Amino acid sequence: MKLPFYIPDNELTLRIGKLLCLFQVLSTGVKKTINLDLPKIGQFEFLTKHPIVLNKILNEKDKKTIQLHNSEKYSIEALFLNRAEVFDLKKIKILLKILLSNKYIEAKVLSDNQIYYSITAEGLKQAETLQSEYFQRTRDLNHELKPLVSLPSSTISKLIESHLVHGKKN
């Protein structure tokens, strides 16, 4: 069934821009390129879309939490999370294909036979053009994800799931 209204979060160029910002912040480390796998990309996109869950995880890990905007705390999406977004990676795969075809990211198969993605110089250049307040906020949220980058995606999944199922409080 088609919805009778338009959901901006599903707009293609917005989602591509958000992913570019995610790669810009998270796939470049101090000394080397950090490669992100598909589940981790999906989890990080979910956490930037739902910073209230990110705050709960940061609090649990004894990390500094983020000052949330009212729209991030009290919107319908914040109050009633769609759990399926964490596990449904079909849309992310499509976005990754678009980013790959534009040479904004590259894919590598590493020793564990897993596909990992990282941003290219062209992707960094394109990400720099995204200077609106919305994309700046997205980058700020992405910076808060840095402590989670080194964790396996299965651990991040458990952290997210624990706050969706059990309703842990901040």
Side-chain angles (χ1 to χ4, degrees):
M1 179 177 134
K2 286 195 127 218
L3 296 174
F5 50 88
Y6 182 71
I7 301 174
D9 279 348
N10 292 339
E11 205 274 320
L12 180 65
T13 53
L14 177 72
R15 291 205 56 198
I16 288 173
K18 287 173 65 175
L19 272 182
L20 268 177
C21 290
L22 186 132
F23 278 108
Q24 178 188 25
V25 172
L26 297 180
S27 76
T28 51
V30 176
K31 297 181 182 177
K32 62 176 185 162
T33 300
I34 298 168
N35 299 303
L36 302 171
D37 62 355
L38 181 63
K40 202 175 274 192
I41 294 166
Q43 293 161 348
F44 288 163
E45 188 194 43
F46 177 83
L47 290 171
T48 56
K49 186 175 180 181
H50 303 289
I52 197 161
V53 177
L54 175 58
N55 251 1
K56 290 175 183 180
I57 291 171
L58 291 172
N59 188 42
E60 182 179 310
K61 292 286 184 188
D62 296 324
K63 303 288 182 192
K64 188 183 103 186
T65 58
I66 314 156
Q67 184 68 32
L68 298 177
H69 298 154
N70 282 339
S71 62
E72 294 166 336
K73 292 189 280 189
Y74 303 116
S75 69
I76 295 295
E77 282 194 343
L79 297 173
F80 304 100
L81 298 173
N82 181 359
R83 296 180 58 221
E85 292 175 343
V86 181
F87 309 106
D88 184 14
L89 300 175
K90 291 177 201 157
K91 291 179 183 176
I92 299 278
K93 286 180 184 178
I94 293 167
L95 296 172
L96 290 175
K97 286 178 185 178
I98 293 169
L99 290 171
L100 284 165
S101 68
N102 285 299
K103 297 182 175 35
Y104 295 153
I105 62 171
E106 60 186 2
K108 301 173 191 165
V109 179
L110 298 182
S111 59
D112 60 356
N113 292 324
Q114 182 79 299
I115 299 173
Y116 292 92
Y117 303 90
S118 60
I119 197 162
T120 63
E122 183 63 30
L124 282 171
K125 182 178 161 186
Q126 189 64 35
E128 288 297 323
T129 66
L130 305 172
Q131 292 300 319
S132 71
E133 188 177 319
Y134 179 83
F135 287 117
Q136 290 299 341
R137 177 63 177 170
T138 300
R139 281 187 191 87
D140 293 343
L141 294 172
N142 289 333
H143 280 288
E144 301 304 323
L145 292 168
K146 283 199 175 222
L148 304 177
V149 169
S150 60
L151 297 175
S153 54
S154 59
T155 304
I156 298 169
S157 180
K158 288 176 187 172
L159 288 169
I160 292 171
E161 190 69 24
S162 72
H163 292 288
L164 296 179
V165 174
H166 303 298
K168 290 184 181 179
K169 297 188 186 222
N170 248 345

